[in-house]
Amino acid sequence: MANRLADETSPYLLQHAGNPVDWWPWSEAAFEEARRRGVPVLLSVGYASCHWCHVMAHESFEDEETAELLNSRFVAVKVDREERPDVDAVYMEAVQAATGQGGWPMTVFLTPAAEPFYFGTYFPPAPRHGMPSFRQVLEGVATAWSDRREEVADVAGRIVRDLSARGIRYEQPQPPGPEELASALLELTREFDAERGGFGGAPKFPPSMALEFLLRHHARTGSDGALEMVRGTCGAMARGGLYDQLGGGFARYSVDAGWVVPHFEKMLYDNALLCRVYAHVWRSTGAETARRVALETADFMVRELGTPQGGFASALDADSDDGSGRHREGAYYVWTPAELTEVLGEDDGRWAAERFRVTDEGTFEEGASVLQLPDRADGDEELGDAGGDGDRGADAARLASVRERLLRAREQRPRPARDDKVVAAWNGLAIAALAETGAYFDRPDLVEAASAAAGLLTRLHMNDGGRLVRTSRDGTAGTSAGVLEDYADVAEGLLGLYSVTGEASWLARAGVLLETVLLHFTDSDGTLYDTADDAEALIRRPQDPTDSSTPSGWTAAAHALLSYAAYTGSSRHRDAAERALGIVRALAPRAPRFIGWGLAAAEA
C-alpha cells in the first residue's frame, strides 16, 4: 500500500511510504484527524541513515499485525528530524527530561493537542533486556487513553508546563573573558583522554567544536596543553576506524573509547567540521598528516556527497547489502584477511592485514575488521610534527598501491544508500570548509565546489526577503522553514567564501541572512531562539545554546555576526554577537565540551 508519505520529498519519509502503517506527515490535518477520531497520536522521529530506525521499521512498521493495531488505535505521524529539527528538539527535550536519555528512533505519544505524555526511543518486537515490546507499549498506551483519559491529560499538561518554564535568560549579556576561557581549558584538560584522545568514554564522538576552541586558544595564548589535546585527538581519529582509510571521510562516532569501531553512517556535517579542523591543525603546525586528512575529507565530500545541482547530500547510510541480500551495518567497509588476499595476492594481502590491523578474530562482527593504521608504526609522525606523512619511500608507494586496489575492489560492493536531500545549514558548513581548504592548499576546484553550493542555496533556498527554506531535493525546494542554524551556518559559509574569493555578493547575501537573524530570531537582551517569531507554533519555542553534533544555532549566529562585523566594521552586529555570547560566559566553566563553538567565537 502507499500511505500519505508517498508525495513527500524527504528520503526518510519515502522509506516508509510503502509501510502498512497509515502514516501522516507532520501537519495540522494529522492532529485534526486525531481529534475527529478521539485517539492519541504516535509521533515517530528518525532520519534516513539511522541504523536503529531501519531496525525498528523492519521489525514493527513493516509488520501487518503491528500496523493494524497502530492504525486502529492511533494516528501515526512520521517526522524526519533533519527536515524538522524544531519538532525533534521540542519532543527530544521532553524525552530526555522524562527518561534521562534520548536517541533515534524517537517514539512519543501525544494528545490531539500535540502534548506529550509517554516517551521512548527504540522498542523491540518482543520483550528484551527489561524493555517491553512495541506492541505491549501500544496496547498499554491505548488502554490508558481509553480508561484513564483524565490522568493522561494531567500528565501531558504538567509536561508542557515544565517545558514552557525552561526558557533561557542570563544576567550578564557579555562574552566570556580570559578567566572563563582559562576555566574552560582547565575543565577540558580534566576530561581529556590522554591515552586515546578525545573527551570522556564510549561512545566517543568527534569533538570538532571543542577542538576549534583549543586551536584558537593556543593561537591566542601559546598554550602547549591546548595544542597537545588537539594533536592527540586528531591523530587518534585519523589512525582509527572512525576514519575511512581507503576513501577518506569520517563516520558518525566510535562505539568504543579507542576510535576503533565506528557507527558507519557518514554525515555531511561531521565531515565539513572535521575537514576544517584538520586544515586548521595544518595551519598551526604544518603537519603533513593533517593536510592529507583535510584534503581526503574534502575530496570525499565532493565525490560522494555532491549532487547534480551543485549542493551536498546529507549522509551515507550505515547499512548496505553484504553480498548475500542481507543488509548489515558496516558491510561496505569491513574486511577479512581472506578478502585482502583475494584482492591483493598473498604477499601484499599479508602485509595489508598487518598494516591495517585485520585479524582472523576481527575487530567487528563475524570475523571482519575495520581498517586502522598502527600507532606511529614505520616512522609515522605524531600528528602536529612538521614534515613527512610517515609512510616514506618504498613503503609509501606500497601503501598507496594497496589503498588504490582495495578501494577499487570495495567500489564493486553494493553501496550504502545516500540521503540526497540538501540541508541548508550543513551545506553552509561544507562551503566554509571547502573554501578554506581550497585556499590553504591551492585547490581552486574545492573553492569552485563551495561556490556552486553557495549558488544553489542563494538561488533555490533563499528568497528576496532573506528567508530560507531548510531543505531541497533534486532541485526542488522543500516547505520547511529555515531554523536559526540554517541562517547562521549559511551566513558563515558565504562569509568564508567571500574571504577567499573577494566577491562582494557573498558578503551582501550573508548580511541579508544575518538581518533576518536580528529581526526574527533575537530578543532585545540578546536571547536567541531556534525558530523565527513567525514560525509554526509548537508546544514550546525551541531554544538551545549547546552544541550537539553540529554547532548550536545560537553560537553559530554569534560566530557569523562576529565575522560580519570584522569584515564590515558594523558595531551593531558585534554588539549582538557579544550579547549572544553571554550564555557562553555562564556555561564555559562547567560544560565547555558542549559550548565549544561559542568558546571558539569568544577567542576570535
Side-chain angles (χ1 to χ4, degrees), residues 40 62 88 117 129 168 181 238 258 307 335 371 378 433 509 558 564:
E62 295 173 10
D88 177 65
F117 62 88
H129 306 306
I168 297 171
L181 296 172
T307 70
W335 297 82
L371 301 187
D378 303 322
R509 291 184 177 113
Y564 186 79

Side-chain angles (χ1 to χ4, degrees), residues 536-570:
E536 175 190 354
L538 302 175
I539 58 170
R540 136 172 168 78
R541 191 177 178 191
Q543 183 186 42
D544 187 357
T546 58
D547 302 327
S548 55
S549 52
T550 57
S552 72
W554 188 313
T555 55
H559 226 275
L561 288 163
L562 281 173
S563 296
Y564 186 79
Y567 289 128
T568 64
S570 169

Side-chain angles (χ1 to χ4, degrees), residues 233-418:
T233 301
C234 288
M237 290 192 300
R239 290 190 300 269
L242 186 80
Y243 186 65
D244 183 348
Q245 303 296 339
L246 300 182
F250 290 85
R252 179 71 193 88
Y253 63 88
S254 174
V255 299
D256 61 285
W259 309 106
V260 176
V261 178
H263 187 52
F264 290 90
E265 59 189 329
K266 294 169 85 172
M267 312 299 295
L268 174 62
Y269 51 74
D270 285 318
N271 284 283
L273 290 164
L274 287 166
C275 175
R276 206 172 178 190
V277 166
Y278 280 86
H280 292 165
V281 172
W282 173 85
R283 184 178 62 183
S284 296
T285 67
E288 181 61 24
T289 295
R291 176 185 181 277
R292 174 176 63 81
V293 172
L295 286 171
E296 287 177 354
T297 303
D299 287 336
F300 158 75
M301 286 191 287
V302 174
R303 182 183 68 249
E304 301 288 340
L305 298 178
T307 70
Q309 295 76 30
F312 294 97
S314 296
L316 297 182
D317 209 335
D319 300 4
S320 59
D321 191 322
D322 64 2
S324 68
R326 182 170 62 125
H327 268 65
R328 266 197 315 125
E329 184 181 4
Y332 185 70
Y333 300 101
V334 298
W335 297 82
T336 64
E339 288 171 332
L340 294 180
T341 299
E342 181 181 355
V343 173
L344 301 171
E346 191 71 35
D347 288 345
D348 278 351
R350 189 165 48 247
W351 182 87
E354 181 178 350
R355 178 73 184 176
F356 289 121
R357 302 184 183 184
V358 176
T359 66
D360 289 325
E361 294 79 17
T363 56
F364 188 51
E365 298 173 347
E366 301 177 10
S369 292
V370 182
L371 301 187
Q372 308 168 69
L373 289 176
D375 293 338
R376 302 190 66 186
D378 303 322
D380 276 341
E381 67 187 79
E382 180 71 30
L383 190 115
D385 295 340
D389 195 25
D391 299 301
R392 300 176 176 89
D395 193 58
R398 188 177 196 182
L399 181 60
S401 172
V402 163
R403 278 177 165 152
E404 182 180 350
R405 284 181 283 162
L406 289 178
L407 183 59
R408 281 203 308 267
R410 192 177 79 175
E411 287 172 345
Q412 304 308 307
R413 296 174 173 179
R415 298 179 68 83
R418 186 171 89 153

Side-chain angles (χ1 to χ4, degrees), residues 378-498:
D378 303 322
D380 276 341
E381 67 187 79
E382 180 71 30
L383 190 115
D385 295 340
D389 195 25
D391 299 301
R392 300 176 176 89
D395 193 58
R398 188 177 196 182
L399 181 60
S401 172
V402 163
R403 278 177 165 152
E404 182 180 350
R405 284 181 283 162
L406 289 178
L407 183 59
R408 281 203 308 267
R410 192 177 79 175
E411 287 172 345
Q412 304 308 307
R413 296 174 173 179
R415 298 179 68 83
R418 186 171 89 153
D419 180 345
D420 58 357
K421 71 176 177 294
V422 171
V423 175
W426 306 347
N427 273 252
L429 296 175
I431 290 164
L434 292 173
E436 285 194 43
T437 304
Y440 291 162
F441 305 124
D442 194 22
R443 283 283 303 274
D445 58 308
L446 297 179
V447 179
E448 290 170 7
S451 296
L456 176 70
L457 293 182
T458 56
R459 181 177 68 254
L460 186 62
H461 286 242
M462 183 177 174
N463 67 20
D464 293 338
R467 305 308 287 266
L468 285 171
V469 294
R470 179 162 172 84
T471 64
S472 67
R473 185 167 183 256
D474 294 335
T476 300
T479 57
S480 298
V483 295
L484 180 59
E485 70 164 354
D486 294 306
Y487 287 86
D489 289 337
V490 173
E492 174 89 2
L494 298 181
L495 290 169
L497 199 52
Y498 166 70

Side-chain angles (χ1 to χ4, degrees), residues 93-135:
E93 186 176 13
V95 171
Q96 291 173 329
T99 68
Q101 59 187 3
W104 299 275
M106 176 168 62
T107 306
V108 185
F109 294 89
L110 313 176
T111 71
E115 297 175 336
F117 62 88
Y118 188 79
F119 316 91
T121 52
Y122 164 80
F123 289 104
R128 184 189 307 163
H129 306 306
M131 296 174 62
S133 73
F134 186 50
R135 246 188 269 178

